[in-house]
């Protein structure tokens, strides 16, 4: 007895895609792409991933070699790359870039607009400074103790703050950050130093991280922190929790309907971002040799938000570029404002140029108006415009070969 199979089916009971245009979904035009195809992101080819990985490794290797080179960038670095001043500034750029990357995990991935992210950075800075100043614990155990404290603090604040959403969440995180700022400025028991800050107690710090002559080691430490933060953020984004966090950012109700647990995922991302900020804060203390109250202010969190928006919301490398660019501008515009060249200008030019914050604010407004996707968005648009041109040129070359 012969068994007949229906068109488009296999003898084993499976089905195969039909090439008949009439098999398209109802209401669609035969031969036209499915509406969902445009929404699906293009798969990254293995070769492209390998190239990007090798390029990243090469860039990190180049940055690691900068203290051994004599590269001078006028207007950006205060001297050649091997000098302590230039190394100090570049190390600060890497740490601020890593801090902006931790805020990207909170805001760009999970969509949580926090006004209190500086609280966990300050926990790392002041926590390590207080432990080293009041105890005889060596650096690594002290850092581990502060890290545990930062995780506990993030759990408590996150568990309370995430009970609300939107602007209410931002206000609750702001309230916690302001409480931390008031606590630091009140100087309870003389532990925080009040308005003057707290100097780093170097008794239990290895000699390799103390002194101007060891700025090179601090530079490598800052670069290592940036690499670790980037790898952790990359791992979170590609993990199942990262995908659920991104889905929750887009439509939390749908995630609940399909059985997801948005609260726990958001709390996990919140704690991870706070933990990374605590790590950056401890490295910042070693680099700056002290803690200052500005590290606890809400203004500092707003600065992180500006960095992420400047670089491009949702982009890892955009957050790093935004943090580095903002740090360079903040450092160099201050030097420009106090220079004799600006002092000799007419008042109509001297007044705005002598206010670095005014210039940074103007730059931020221009980016928001003319580069809505930030630096990363502008780069993506340029690459998208260039790609069709390259495709056309490749097609033309193939036609000429065939002819």
């Amino acid at each position: 007895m012969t068994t007949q199979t229906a068109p488009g089916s296999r003898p084993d009971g499976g089905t195969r895609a039909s090439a008949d245009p009439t098999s398209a979904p109802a209401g669609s035009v035969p031969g036209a792409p499915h509406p969902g195809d445009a929404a699906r992101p293009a798969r990254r080819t293995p070769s492209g991933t390998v190239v990007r990985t090798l390029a990243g490794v090469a860039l990190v290797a180049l940055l690691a070699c900068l203290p051994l080179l004599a590269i001078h960038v006028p207007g950006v670095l205060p001297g050649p790359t091997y000098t302590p001043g230039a190394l100090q500034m570049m190390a600060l750029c890497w740490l601020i870039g890593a801090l902006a990357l931790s805020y990207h995990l909170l805001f760009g991935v999970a969509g949580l607009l926090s006004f209190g992210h500086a609280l966990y950075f300050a926990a790392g800075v002041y926590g390590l400074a207080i432990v080293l100043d009041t105890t005889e614990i060596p650096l690594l155990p002290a850092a581990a103790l502060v890290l545990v404290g930062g995780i506990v603090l993030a759990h408590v604040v996150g568990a309370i703050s995430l009970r609300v959403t939107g602007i209410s969440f931002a206000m609750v995180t702001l309230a916690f950050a302001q409480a931390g700022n008031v606590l630091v400025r009140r100087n309870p028991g003389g532990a925080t130093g009040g308005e003057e800050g707290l100097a780093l107690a170097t008794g239990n710090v290895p000699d390799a991280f103390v002194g101007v002559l060891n700025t090179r080691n601090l530079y490598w430490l800052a670069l290592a922190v940036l690499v670790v933060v980037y790898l952790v953020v990359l791992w979170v984004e590609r993990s199942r929790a990262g995908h659920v966090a991104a889905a929750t950012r887009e439509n939390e109700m749908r995630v609940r309907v399909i059985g997801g647990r948005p609260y726990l995922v958001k709390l996990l991302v919140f704690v991870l971002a706070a933990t990374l900020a605590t790590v950056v804060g401890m490295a910042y203390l070693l680099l700056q040799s002290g803690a200052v109250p500005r590290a606890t202010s809400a203004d500092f969190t707003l600065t992180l938000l500006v960095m992420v928006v400047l670089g491009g919301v949702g982009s890892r490398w955009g957050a790093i570029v935004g943090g580095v660019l903002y740090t360079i501008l903040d450092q160099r515009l201050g030097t420009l404002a106090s220079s004799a060249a600006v002092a000799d200008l007419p008042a109509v030019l001297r007044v705005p140029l002598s206010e670095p914050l005014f210039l940074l604010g103007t730059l931020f407004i221009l980016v928001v108006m003319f580069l809505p996707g930030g630096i990363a968005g502008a780069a993506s648009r340029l690459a998208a415009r260039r790609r069709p041109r390259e495709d056309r040129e490749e097609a033309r070359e193939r036609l000429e070969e065939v002819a």
Side-chain angles (χ1 to χ4, degrees):
M1 181 176 179
T2 305
T3 303
Q4 294 182 351
T5 57
S9 64
R10 295 198 306 264
D12 58 359
T15 60
R16 69 174 184 271
S18 175
D20 188 355
T22 60
S23 64
S28 62
V29 180
H34 190 274
D37 292 341
R40 298 190 186 100
R43 289 182 176 271
R44 294 184 176 180
T45 60
S47 59
T49 302
V50 171
V51 170
R52 281 187 290 270
T53 302
L54 293 178
V57 172
L59 177 60
V60 172
L62 175 62
L63 295 178
C65 293
L66 287 181
L68 308 177
L69 304 175
I71 301 176
H72 184 67
V73 185
V76 178
L77 298 178
T81 53
Y82 67 89
T83 58
L87 292 175
Q88 176 87 8
M89 182 175 174
M90 289 188 294
L92 182 62
C93 288
W94 306 151
L95 290 181
I96 298 300
L99 186 60
L101 194 56
S102 70
Y103 192 77
H104 153 78
L105 182 61
L106 190 65
F107 180 56
V109 176
L112 298 173
L113 178 60
S114 171
F115 289 161
H117 196 60
L119 176 63
Y120 316 104
F121 176 75
V125 176
Y126 273 95
L128 185 59
I130 292 173
V131 170
L132 292 176
D133 186 56
T134 57
T135 67
E136 297 296 330
I137 303 177
L139 177 61
L140 289 181
L145 179 62
V146 173
L147 185 61
V148 172
I151 294 174
V152 173
L153 176 64
H155 267 99
V156 174
V157 176
I160 298 174
S161 304
L162 289 171
R163 296 296 177 180
V164 294
T165 58
I167 193 63
S168 301
F169 169 79
M171 291 297 102
V172 173
T173 57
L174 175 62
F176 278 106
Q178 286 298 99
N181 181 257
V182 171
L183 181 65
V184 167
R185 293 182 183 277
R186 289 290 179 87
N187 191 22
T192 63
E195 296 289 342
E196 296 182 358
L198 188 63
L200 173 65
T202 58
N204 295 322
V205 178
D207 295 337
F209 296 131
V210 179
V212 178
L213 296 178
N214 293 314
T215 308
R216 178 186 301 177
N217 298 329
L218 293 171
Y219 170 88
W220 283 325
L221 174 65
L223 182 60
V225 169
L226 175 60
V227 172
V228 169
V229 172
Y230 181 88
L231 293 178
V232 171
V233 172
L234 178 63
W235 171 70
V236 172
E237 287 190 13
R238 295 185 177 180
S239 67
R240 183 177 180 180
H243 294 160
V244 176
T248 303
R249 178 194 65 208
E250 299 299 328
N251 194 325
E252 183 172 345
M253 182 59 67
R254 179 173 295 180
V255 174
R256 293 181 184 275
V257 169
I258 63 178
R261 307 178 71 179
Y263 176 81
L264 293 180
V265 172
K266 290 191 293 185
L267 180 61
L268 174 62
V269 174
F270 187 95
V271 172
L272 284 174
T275 302
L276 295 177
T278 303
V279 172
V280 176
M282 290 187 286
Y284 181 87
L285 172 70
L286 297 177
L287 179 66
Q288 298 295 91
S289 298
V292 292
R294 183 180 180 273
T296 65
S297 65
D299 294 342
F300 192 65
T301 299
L302 295 179
T303 301
L304 296 177
L305 177 60
V306 170
M307 294 175 188
V308 173
V309 174
L310 178 64
V313 177
S315 171
R316 290 186 301 273
W317 72 266
I320 297 175
V321 171
V324 171
L325 180 60
Y326 187 96
T327 304
I328 292 176
L329 291 175
D330 186 44
Q331 296 287 324
R332 303 312 295 170
L333 288 179
T335 304
L336 175 65
S338 59
S339 64
V342 173
D344 296 336
L345 293 174
V348 66
L349 295 177
R350 183 181 68 254
V351 173
L353 290 179
S354 61
E355 296 293 338
L357 292 180
F358 173 81
L359 297 178
L360 288 173
T362 303
L363 174 64
F364 178 70
I365 294 174
L366 293 176
V367 169
V368 171
M369 291 179 61
F370 299 104
L371 297 176
I375 298 174
S380 299
R381 286 192 294 271
L382 290 176
R385 292 178 182 177
R386 183 180 179 182
R387 193 175 299 114
R389 186 185 311 162
E390 294 177 348
D391 293 343
R392 288 194 299 268
E393 292 177 355
E394 183 178 356
R396 187 181 301 111
E397 291 177 357
R398 289 181 179 178
L399 288 175
E400 291 176 355
E401 292 177 359
V402 172

